[in-house]
Amino acid sequence: MGMNIGSSSGSDEPEVMMDINTTPLIDVMLVLLIMLIITIPIQLHAVNLDMPTGNPPPQVVQPVIMKIDIDEANRIFVDGVPVAGGLQEVDSKLAEMAKLDISQQPELHLRPNKLAKYETVAAVMSAVQRFGLTKFGIVGSEQFIE
């Protein structure tokens, strides 16, 4: 790439320029880029779900609720009664519930203290999953917001 700084000879005619004129190439590339941006469909960050319509029927029978509490010393309580056997006894109680028909299984409400160890809470949750119990929820999550 050289630069034309003028003629060294005494003639008034300019020398032939040997560089490529890139201005039309850049113009064409910009037009193609704009065309590409216009033709790309707008991406919506939404998930289309088929939601049920109407009101669900009222429950005839209120569900049985079984509360599992874990205190700050990692002791496990089932319906307010301390579990002496620890996780093994909780496993046996969950195994008994898993044998019941799904309509007769109680709802499990896990209420861990915010000072309880994660491994104890995770062990109870994995036991619930291992036995295939589906009516499970963590209650009292508002204490963790602070």
Side-chain angles (χ1 to χ4, degrees):
M1 303 255 183
M3 187 165 75
N4 189 4
I5 55 174
S7 65
S8 59
S9 65
S11 72
D12 291 336
E13 292 183 25
E15 290 184 23
V16 177
M17 191 173 192
M18 301 300 280
D19 294 335
I20 297 175
N21 187 3
T22 58
T23 304
L25 179 65
I26 293 172
D27 291 344
V28 169
M29 293 303 290
L30 286 175
V31 168
L32 289 175
L33 180 65
I34 291 171
M35 295 292 288
L36 179 71
I37 290 172
I38 291 173
T39 58
I40 292 177
I42 298 173
Q43 297 294 325
L44 299 176
H45 297 287
V47 177
N48 296 328
L49 297 175
D50 294 328
M51 299 298 290
T53 57
N55 294 330
Q59 292 183 343
V60 178
V61 179
Q62 293 296 325
V64 177
I65 297 174
M66 180 177 169
K67 298 176 184 174
I68 302 174
D69 298 321
I70 302 174
D71 68 356
E72 62 274 352
N74 296 315
R75 292 180 299 216
I76 301 172
F77 297 86
V78 176
D79 286 331
V81 179
V83 177
L87 289 173
Q88 290 80 15
E89 189 173 335
V90 172
D91 281 352
S92 65
K93 290 186 180 201
L94 293 176
E96 291 174 14
M97 281 187 266
K99 292 177 186 174
L100 298 173
D101 185 36
I102 194 162
S103 62
Q104 297 175 347
Q105 290 179 358
E107 286 184 9
L108 298 173
H109 292 188
L110 178 64
R111 296 188 307 176
N113 188 302
K114 70 178 184 178
L115 300 175
K117 287 186 179 178
Y118 175 75
E119 67 182 72
T120 307
V121 177
V124 172
M125 290 172 64
S126 67
V128 169
Q129 184 181 14
R130 186 173 56 246
F131 289 112
L133 300 170
T134 56
K135 298 178 182 179
F136 175 75
I138 298 177
V139 181
S141 302
E142 61 274 355
Q143 66 179 328
F144 300 108
I145 293 174
E146 297 172 1

